[in-house]
Amino acid sequence: SPSMMESESSTRAASLGSAVAGIACATGWYLFIGAALEAGNRVNVAAGLTSGAYWAPGIIGTVGLAMLNAVNWESVTDDGGLSGDGSSTKAKVWVTLSLVVMFSALGGALWIFVQELSNQVVWQGVAYGVLAQNVLIFTAGIVFRLCRRHGDNAF
């Protein structure tokens, strides 16, 4: 039946999207950790790598990704606007907060990237690693959410 085929293709798309999102997030962390390990072989390394400042955007972005995926998407798409104190309103506020966290991590990574590229004395590989990591984590969150929006695949 057409409904069964539609459900099956929707499930397949959701599974593929989840896999792509997971691979993107893992690749982001892999690139950052690889850059951090390579920095250990370099003479001039930015202080932010050892102080933890360069780790913060990736950790914050990953928390934002988990926050975005912790809410059932059907609650977000329920009617009701932002008035009242129902679960739909709470879900919309949660998603907004999650996106703010994710965009903040992306902004922090961009700040680090620009700051490091202006400093010609230190090895700049970590700057590329931080930016790539956070772009991939952000992309993973959005891809996962877009692939799991409704029906049995909403969560």
Side-chain angles (χ1 to χ4, degrees):
S1 74
S3 176
M4 182 71 148
M5 288 178 56
E6 183 179 305
S7 175
E8 191 174 304
S9 67
S10 175
T11 301
R12 200 172 307 132
S15 296
L16 180 63
S18 297
V20 167
I23 290 168
C25 183
T27 301
W29 273 102
Y30 177 80
L31 291 174
F32 172 73
I33 291 173
L37 290 172
E38 177 61 27
N41 298 327
R42 304 295 175 142
V43 176
N44 292 327
V45 180
L49 186 60
T50 55
S51 73
Y54 289 12
W55 291 82
I59 292 169
I60 292 168
T62 302
V63 168
L65 180 141
M67 288 171 61
L68 183 64
N69 294 312
V71 66
N72 186 333
W73 205 248
E74 288 183 345
S75 320
V76 176
T77 57
D78 284 347
D79 288 337
L82 288 176
S83 60
D85 58 353
S87 63
S88 175
T89 302
K90 292 174 184 171
K92 289 173 185 172
V93 169
W94 183 261
V95 167
T96 302
L97 180 63
S98 303
L99 289 171
V100 167
V101 169
M102 290 175 69
F103 273 112
S104 297
L106 199 55
L110 190 58
W111 183 335
I112 289 169
F113 181 74
V114 170
Q115 177 184 341
E116 287 307 306
L117 289 186
S118 67
N119 186 356
Q120 299 298 322
V121 177
V122 299
W123 181 65
Q124 298 170 343
V126 169
Y128 289 98
V130 170
L131 185 64
Q133 173 197 34
N134 283 277
V135 166
L136 287 167
I137 290 170
F138 185 85
T139 302
I142 299 303
V143 166
F144 186 86
R145 264 299 118 198
L146 289 176
C147 291
R148 295 193 167 266
R149 289 185 298 179
H150 49 68
D152 295 336
N153 305 313
F155 196 58

